[in-house]
Amino acid sequence: MNGGDEVVAAPVGPPQPLEWKFSQVFGERTAGEEVQEVDIISAIEFDKTGDHLATGDRGGRVVLFERTDTKDHGSSRRDLERTDYPIGRHPEFRYKTEFQSHEPEFDYLKSLEIEEKINKIRWCQRANGALFLLSTNDKTIKFWKVQEKKIKKISCMNLDPLKAVGNGSVASSSNSVCSKSYLANGGYPDKSSNDFSFPPGGIPSLHLPMVTTHETNLMARCRRVYAHAHDYHINSISNNSDGETFISADDLRINLWNLEISSQSFNIVDVKPANMEDLTEVITSAEFHPTHCNTLAYSSSKGSIRLIDLRQSALCDSHAKLFEEQEAPGSRSFFTEIIASISDIKFGQDGRYILSRDYMTLKLWDINMDSGPVSTFQVHEYLRPKLCDLYENDSIFDKFECCLSGDGLRVATGSYSNLFRVFGCAPGTTEATTLEASKNPMRRQVQTPSRPSRSLSSSITRVVRRGAESPVVDANGNSFDFTTKLLHLAWHPTEHSIACAAANSLYMYYA
């Protein structure tokens, strides 16, 4: 530098909070419409490019959506890889296709009904223009290939289209038949029988039937079925970065599969005790590291996360790292272990951080620091006084999912009353946004009075209603409905866009 000038870097503060806006909704309910159980969405997943979105429902169906705005605007793939959101444009998706992935089954050996509900969907690597994905219910995983198929028809036959031949299969197999229903040398079919009347000189040439290509149709084909490997309900599937293998996890075991082999899997984690009475925790979620094919993590009902290395041994009974938060002394109660159970874990795209969701909080863990989470976000702390009621109506066992933004600076998860929350996790940020799954996502904030009135009538009412179920109100005075819950959501891999499910409706937002 000339003259000894010194360059001072400008201080970089935390990113500005995002302003979320409604983008699209699919399957929105009308007022008073009764939602069928089979139509409730149970899984959501973006593919790695963010150009496709898949949802699964309790009826065993998988619905695919395709992004359209990138085609309309001619955006290049380089634009899509940017994590800063292009101004003046938001992602638009359209319905692509749907197919029935799973059917209800009955296990005759165990006298057990197996629901068709889709528990998880995971996209696999694309190949030759076709889409590949895995879907699973409680017991069976299926590998699907979705591609455009051109419909081909036979045309220009030598036969009269109005005349059936044999059993009529030839005539009915052609919708567009050449107008020349006579033979090349002028001979005609014999109208009195199914045989041709051949001229004395024979037939010098025939019209060969031609195959013509008509419109294209999207076809979903089940390539493989991975079954009979789990005694308990499958809660997770996760693809490996090697593109060849994936894992499936149930309450007590994690199995490793090769995508090409459906007849066998390898049990890599087994936490089943010799005596089931000694069982103290179960596996709740499992996921492969996004870039290291030998590393995966799984969470437990005791609130711990274990990182395992497949290079250590064939059966990974011992973990490489254990992540858990120590209990505060004197804070233990009947509900402590229930609300500590982790319902979902997700790796960040760089693989350094793991996001976990338990009933009350989101926690962000650095895989290089196992002493405790680097950040903890309170999702609905105002429900703590109502844990007894939540236990009575089984809401305390709801399993909320979580997700991270592509740049790793924000996290999101759902709550009750179809709310979801977005938190900033960059150092120094205080971003915490509550949105509602509706066309007006910014939930109306109601100011609570600083000092509630203590009139005699209100005291009497309080005594009379003691023991009755009173509404739960958050810090902004919003009451909560436990019958509506936002369990499933996904963050676009490269842009600030979130897709979330409220019952049978798929809502999409952008910032």
Side-chain angles (χ1 to χ4, degrees):
M1 298 292 292
N2 294 332
D5 292 340
E6 200 171 310
V7 177
V8 179
V12 179
Q16 292 297 314
L18 297 178
E19 182 182 346
W20 291 92
K21 299 175 184 176
F22 169 79
S23 172
Q24 282 178 287
V25 59
F26 296 94
E28 187 180 31
R29 292 166 291 164
T30 58
E33 179 187 357
E34 186 177 348
V35 178
Q36 298 295 319
E37 180 82 8
V38 293
D39 294 330
I40 295 177
I41 296 173
S42 56
I44 300 178
E45 186 80 4
F46 280 104
D47 71 349
K48 282 189 175 181
T49 65
D51 290 342
H52 292 91
L53 175 69
T55 67
D57 61 27
R58 295 187 183 181
R61 294 182 298 263
V62 172
V63 183
L64 303 186
F65 299 89
E66 179 181 42
R67 187 167 179 176
T68 58
D69 62 297
T70 53
K71 297 177 181 177
D72 297 340
H73 289 75
S75 299
S76 65
R77 175 58 52 195
R78 184 176 297 174
D79 292 332
L80 286 178
E81 290 171 355
R82 294 173 55 191
T83 55
D84 56 326
Y85 204 85
I87 297 173
R89 180 173 63 84
H90 65 81
E92 294 176 0
F93 284 80
R94 70 178 177 190
Y95 168 87
K96 186 177 178 74
T97 189
E98 68 179 83
F99 54 90
Q100 189 71 33
S101 175
H102 288 73
E103 300 280 357
E105 303 173 50
F106 189 82
D107 188 334
Y108 292 97
L109 292 176
K110 298 182 179 179
S111 297
L112 187 69
E113 289 185 9
I114 303 172
E115 292 182 349
E116 64 270 37
K117 171 192 166 190
I118 306 295
N119 290 343
K120 294 288 180 183
I121 295 174
R122 290 290 181 264
W123 289 91
C124 303
Q125 292 180 358
R126 298 181 62 173
N128 301 324
L131 304 174
F132 296 89
L133 51 88
L134 291 166
S135 63
T136 184
N137 66 351
D138 286 341
K139 295 290 185 181
T140 306
I141 307 159
K142 294 186 178 182
F143 183 48
W144 290 92
K145 178 181 181 180
V146 182
Q147 66 178 153
E148 289 187 343
K149 284 277 191 181
K150 292 182 177 179
I151 299 175
K152 296 180 179 179
K153 296 181 179 179
I154 300 173
S155 61
C156 261
M157 302 284 287
N158 290 281
L159 306 181
D160 186 342
L162 302 177
K163 178 181 177 184
V165 178
N167 62 2
S169 59
V170 174
S172 62
S173 66
S174 172
N175 290 340
S176 64
V177 181
C178 183
S179 59
K180 297 180 180 179
S181 59
Y182 52 84
L183 300 177
N185 65 346
Y188 286 85
D190 185 359
K191 303 293 182 183
S192 61
S193 70
N194 286 336
D195 298 326
F196 287 101
S197 56
F198 292 96
I203 304 175
S205 63
L206 289 172
H207 282 300
L208 290 177
M210 292 193 303
V211 177
T212 58
T213 302
H214 290 252
E215 71 277 4
T216 59
N217 262 10
L218 272 170
M219 305 290 289
R221 187 162 64 93
C222 184
R223 295 285 304 273
R224 287 176 191 85
V225 177
Y226 312 90
H228 312 300
H230 288 276
D231 291 331
Y232 304 93
H233 291 175
I234 298 172
N235 55 49
S236 305
I237 51 175
S238 179
N239 296 313
N240 198 345
S241 58
D242 63 9
E244 298 178 359
T245 56
F246 71 93
I247 55 170
S248 59
D250 65 21
D251 290 344
L252 298 179
R253 292 189 176 95
I254 299 177
N255 293 333
L256 179 68
W257 301 82
N258 188 301
L259 280 168
E260 301 296 324
I261 303 170
S262 59
S263 58
Q264 64 176 342
S265 63
F266 298 94
N267 179 223
I268 55 174
V269 174
D270 188 352
V271 299
K272 184 177 181 179
N275 184 355
M276 284 296 284
E277 292 181 358
D278 298 331
L279 183 67
T280 59
E281 63 180 330
V282 296
I283 298 168
T284 56
S285 182
E287 184 165 281
F288 260 118
H289 191 282
T291 56
H292 298 166
C293 61
N294 57 283
T295 305
L296 62 94
Y298 71 90
S299 59
S300 82
S301 57
K302 277 194 169 182
S304 61
I305 301 172
R306 290 172 173 84
L307 200 68
I308 61 175
D309 190 337
L310 296 175
R311 298 170 298 185
Q312 288 183 345
S313 65
L315 185 61
C316 303
D317 285 334
S318 59
H319 49 265
K321 284 189 177 181
L322 173 67
F323 306 94
E324 61 182 356
E325 193 170 22
Q326 299 301 318
E327 273 184 39
S331 63
R332 189 166 184 81
S333 71
F334 172 78
F335 304 108
T336 299
E337 195 163 310
I338 300 175
I339 64 175
S341 177
I342 295 175
S343 54
D344 189 29
I345 59 170
K346 292 285 194 318
F347 273 101
Q349 283 193 11
D350 60 359
R352 177 171 176 178
Y353 294 97
I354 300 174
L355 181 67
S356 68
R357 170 70 202 266
D358 57 43
Y359 187 70
M360 300 296 287
T361 63
L362 272 175
K363 290 174 182 169
L364 191 66
W365 306 80
D366 186 333
I367 64 170
N368 298 322
M369 189 179 83
D370 53 8
S371 58
V374 293
S375 298
T376 300
F377 309 96
Q378 305 294 339
V379 179
H380 40 218
E381 183 63 23
Y382 37 82
L383 296 182
R384 195 172 292 275
K386 289 289 179 180
L387 290 179
C388 189
D389 294 336
L390 294 164
Y391 180 79
E392 290 289 332
N393 62 23
D394 286 343
S395 294
I396 201 169
F397 301 107
D398 288 333
K399 299 184 184 304
F400 292 93
E401 294 179 359
C402 58
C403 58
L404 298 93
S405 62
D407 56 15
L409 297 178
R410 292 172 180 87
V411 296
T413 191
S415 182
Y416 293 101
S417 293
N418 287 341
L419 298 182
F420 65 100
R421 305 206 66 192
V422 180
F423 300 94
C425 51
T429 184
T430 57
E431 180 178 356
T433 308
T434 301
L435 301 110
E436 185 175 11
S438 70
K439 290 185 177 179
N440 179 23
M442 296 307 294
R443 187 170 174 81
R444 184 169 58 91
Q445 303 297 317
V446 180
Q447 294 299 321
T448 53
S450 57
R451 186 181 295 274
S453 61
R454 296 294 300 272
S455 65
L456 183 62
S457 60
S458 65
S459 299
I460 293 172
T461 305
R462 189 157 46 248
V463 172
V464 171
R465 287 181 52 82
R466 182 171 295 167
E469 187 172 337
S470 56
V472 176
V473 179
D474 70 0
N476 296 306
N478 298 314
S479 60
F480 280 79
D481 176 11
F482 297 114
T483 62
T484 57
K485 56 195 78 171
L486 199 149
L487 302 176
H488 312 286
L489 77 172
W491 200 303
H492 191 284
T494 59
E495 297 177 356
H496 294 315
S497 176
I498 293 178
C500 55
N504 66 322
S505 304
L506 177 66
Y507 286 90
M508 307 192 74
Y509 308 93
Y510 71 101

